[in-house]
Amino acid sequence: QVQLVESGGGLVQPGGSLRLSCAASGSIFSIYAMGWYRQAPGKQRELVASISNSGVTNYADSVKGRFTISRDNAKNAVYLQMNSLKPEDTAVYYCKADGIATLIIGNPRVDYWGQGTQVTVSS
């Protein structure tokens, strides 16, 4: 099985910080990129940040300068350091992994999602 498990969410006051973690497990796919998405109630799921195996990062304009994505390729883990949090950052944050299913005929591209972790920014 392939699993992504997020942790680190919680309640924080505006201006505070949180660090999200996501660890991927499974032997049937090779990860080439990981990222974080978020979805607030009644809103579309949106990309927050992503990082490739080569270290190329991408951030939503709304989080640039405040959030930092990083990864540990050896552990198949990705992290999101969130600083200067704002109420509008409140959402469920999902980890996503993109990879290649190495044990499936044709080696198709696959993606997996974590279960989500709630981040609430409120006073």
Side-chain angles (χ1 to χ4, degrees):
Q1 293 194 52
V2 176
Q3 293 183 316
L4 300 178
V5 180
E6 302 107 327
S7 63
L11 174 65
V12 65
Q13 293 185 343
S17 297
L18 286 172
R19 181 175 172 85
L20 305 183
S21 299
C22 174
S25 63
S27 61
I28 67 170
F29 84 116
S30 177
I31 298 171
Y32 61 81
M34 299 187 76
W36 291 94
Y37 289 72
R38 67 186 181 188
Q39 187 168 24
K43 302 291 186 179
Q44 293 278 95
R45 186 172 297 187
E46 63 176 348
L47 173 70
V48 178
S50 64
I51 185 167
S52 71
N53 283 358
S54 63
V56 178
T57 59
N58 185 41
Y59 295 93
D61 288 342
S62 60
V63 307
K64 287 181 179 177
R66 299 189 297 120
F67 292 9
T68 302
I69 189 170
S70 61
R71 66 181 297 174
D72 184 336
N73 289 347
K75 297 180 178 180
N76 286 329
V78 64
Y79 310 94
L80 186 68
Q81 179 66 46
M82 305 185 294
N83 298 326
S84 301
L85 283 161
K86 304 174 181 179
E88 50 263 46
D89 295 319
T90 296
V92 177
Y93 284 69
Y94 297 91
C95 176
K96 182 188 177 185
D98 298 316
I100 303 296
T102 58
L103 300 183
I104 298 176
I105 295 175
N107 295 334
R109 297 172 67 178
V110 294
D111 60 85
Y112 292 93
W113 294 85
Q115 82 286 352
T117 185
Q118 178 71 48
V119 172
T120 302
V121 185
S122 176
S123 60

